[in-house]
Amino acid sequence: MKILFIGDGQLGQMLGASGISHGHECLLFSTRSNTVKPLSAQLDLSMSLAEAIAWADVVSWEHEDIPADIIAAAHDKFLMDPARIKSLTDRRAEKKLFDDCQVPTSPWQTYHNADELTKILQQAEQPLVLKAARGGYDGKGQWRFGVADEVAEVAAAAGQAPGIAEQMIAFEREVSLVGARSKDGSICCYPLITNVHERGILSYSLGAIDPVSDALQQQAEACFKRLTDALNYVGVLAIEFFVVEEQQQTKLLVNEIAPRVHNSGHWTMTGANSSQFDLHIRALTGMPLPLLRLTPTLMLNVIGAEQIPAGLWHHADTDCHWYNKEARPGRKVGHVNIRTANRDTAQQWVSQWAHKLQVLAD
Ligand code: ATP
Ligand code: MG
Ligand code: MG
């Protein structure tokens, strides 16, 4: 099949590479330079966006913020309603989806401006996390509010744009579920992944290491089914959860979803017979979803570093991925997947390498 991906960042490139390895032809459309980029050498380099859309059997994306003109021009090439998916880039619509689907999430309310936010903060009895409705990622566009904090100061900073105020959750840890839904509604999910963030940005993920209980996995997959059914979704989607202890029971609260392949699923390039990119391609092209065979894998993000040290390129247990992007503090420029026996050995790898691989922004 012929697949056009919107976006030419690392996710688009990894999707395209997987598509080609499954026998498909793939093009990427760069929304930054407005150019079509081929992944297969035989393809015409000078294709316009309109020509690429006409060429494609199916259009997919690396990021859900799909430009409106592409939604209009490629409408019949998407496998689901792209406008509905794009609407989820607004946290208010996303949270409403959680409520509509009755998946548990932290209590929230909206504000439109600093005045409305001031009222919310004055009445707050618990710490809050304030998130701009649009444009936030890697922890950007977020403010913390403790009940003893200065209301005016926080309201002035966070109230410049509409947003949501949600209860700060004292989570035990953070996990994500990455899975695919095919057109017929069948799903295929990896086991819950443990994620550790530093300053709001994903530092590392533990894939298929110390699996969670079956009950928790079932809870997560039930959320996945409900959300993806509601969206009539086809392809890979990730759900980020907080794990909380309530009345001696372990529960999941949905933090946010990513209707696309996700950084916390990168370990599957090493740790699974079928990676998250392969799963997405299979779902898009109507191939059967696979039975999964997994190897415990640590994924360490490379953030802001100039390069991956030679010792990691050289090691038999590592797979290094370099995105060929200019290094800036806080910017993801690569990741290293490490086959590892258990949580302790994973932790040793993290202690030894994270500070060499990660330069975070202030
Ligand atoms: P991403 O890069 O994953 O898209 P993002 O900028 O969209 O991130 P969130 O995932 O909502 O932001 O938040 C970033 C991190 O901040 C979370 O992973 C979590 O560690 C923390 N966080 C967010 N919301 C809450 C909350 N309600 N309570 C406690 N911690 C929170
Ligand atoms: Mg997010
Ligand atoms: Mg997040």
Side-chain angles (χ1 to χ4, degrees):
M1 287 177 81
K2 297 185 173 80
I3 311 172
L4 172 64
F5 291 103
I6 310 303
D8 68 334
Q10 65 264 21
L11 298 180
Q13 289 180 26
M14 292 189 274
L15 282 165
S18 171
I20 287 173
S21 80
H22 285 73
H24 305 296
E25 291 178 88
C26 298
L27 286 177
L28 307 181
F29 177 70
S30 166
T31 50
R32 274 167 296 214
S33 64
N34 272 316
T35 52
V36 177
K37 297 188 172 179
L39 276 154
S40 323
Q42 333 61 318
L43 288 169
D44 181 3
L45 279 166
S46 60
M47 226 185 249
S48 68
L49 174 60
E51 285 166 338
I53 291 170
W55 166 89
D57 296 311
V58 56
V59 177
S60 184
W61 54 84
E62 69 163 359
H63 191 277
E64 57 276 20
D65 199 5
I66 314 158
D69 56 334
I70 299 181
I71 290 183
H75 208 271
D76 55 339
K77 301 285 172 86
F78 290 101
L79 294 176
M80 64 204 110
D81 178 2
R84 176 83 177 98
I85 300 298
K86 186 185 169 86
S87 75
L88 300 172
T89 56
D90 188 316
R91 290 192 192 271
R92 295 167 292 189
E94 189 183 15
K95 281 289 220 179
K96 184 172 180 305
L97 172 71
F98 302 158
D99 290 348
D100 290 347
C101 290
Q102 295 180 314
V103 298
T105 188
S106 60
W108 63 289
Q109 47 188 319
T110 59
Y111 58 85
H112 293 95
N113 50 47
D115 285 348
E116 284 183 21
L117 180 56
T118 301
K119 289 198 187 98
I120 292 172
L121 300 183
Q122 282 166 342
Q123 287 164 11
E125 288 169 1
Q126 286 174 324
L128 299 174
V129 180
L130 313 170
K131 300 181 179 179
R134 295 173 187 278
Y137 69 99
D138 288 346
K140 297 182 177 77
Q142 283 190 22
W143 298 263
R144 307 285 151 125
F145 177 75
V147 283
D149 290 351
E150 188 59 55
V151 168
E153 214 173 279
V154 178
Q160 284 180 15
I164 62 168
E166 59 176 47
Q167 194 180 307
M168 193 179 296
I169 303 298
F171 53 77
E172 189 236 317
R173 63 184 166 130
E174 292 186 84
V175 297
S176 61
L177 188 74
V178 174
R181 180 183 184 274
S182 56
K183 222 184 276 186
D184 67 7
S186 55
I187 65 168
C188 170
C189 298
Y190 299 101
L192 279 166
I193 303 150
T194 295
N195 299 314
V196 177
H197 296 83
E198 294 291 344
R199 293 188 218 166
I201 189 169
L202 182 64
S203 173
Y204 63 92
S205 296
L206 304 173
I209 297 175
D210 289 349
V212 298
S213 69
D214 287 349
L216 216 58
Q217 182 73 22
Q218 279 164 21
Q219 251 185 66
E221 293 194 16
C223 288
F224 185 92
K225 186 91 179 89
R226 246 179 274 163
L227 292 167
T228 55
D229 281 351
L231 296 169
N232 220 354
Y233 195 82
V234 181
V236 165
L237 177 142
I239 310 179
E240 296 179 9
F241 295 99
F242 300 132
V243 179
V244 291
E245 297 289 336
E246 262 177 31
Q247 289 139 10
Q248 285 157 354
Q249 276 197 324
T250 309
K251 284 195 180 148
L252 294 173
L253 292 180
V254 174
N255 172 31
E256 59 169 358
I257 60 171
R260 55 176 162 81
V261 289
H262 192 250
N263 191 180
S264 71
H266 288 2
W267 68 276
T268 61
M269 297 172 88
T270 294
N273 55 335
S274 216
S275 75
Q276 62 165 344
F277 305 99
D278 300 339
L279 238 55
H280 189 71
I281 298 295
R282 282 179 184 240
L284 282 187
T285 58
M287 285 170 74
L289 297 180
L291 284 173
L292 294 174
R293 190 178 292 281
L294 307 171
T295 310
T297 301
L298 159 72
M299 190 282 309
L300 250 177
N301 264 335
V302 185
I303 303 169
E306 297 287 340
Q307 57 182 15
I308 298 173
L312 284 176
W313 285 104
H314 192 64
H315 201 286
D317 287 331
T318 65
D319 292 336
C320 296
H321 298 262
W322 181 250
Y323 307 153
N324 212 15
K325 285 159 67 173
E326 196 192 325
R328 279 199 301 268
R331 188 181 202 204
K332 292 170 184 167
V333 291
H335 70 272
V336 181
N337 284 345
I338 302 165
R339 277 172 285 274
T340 181
N342 55 46
R343 205 166 176 146
D344 288 343
T345 52
Q347 218 61 57
Q348 286 165 13
W349 277 99
V350 171
S351 309
Q352 190 181 346
W353 290 100
H355 63 284
K356 294 182 184 131
L357 294 175
Q358 300 182 348
V359 182
L360 302 175
D362 292 330

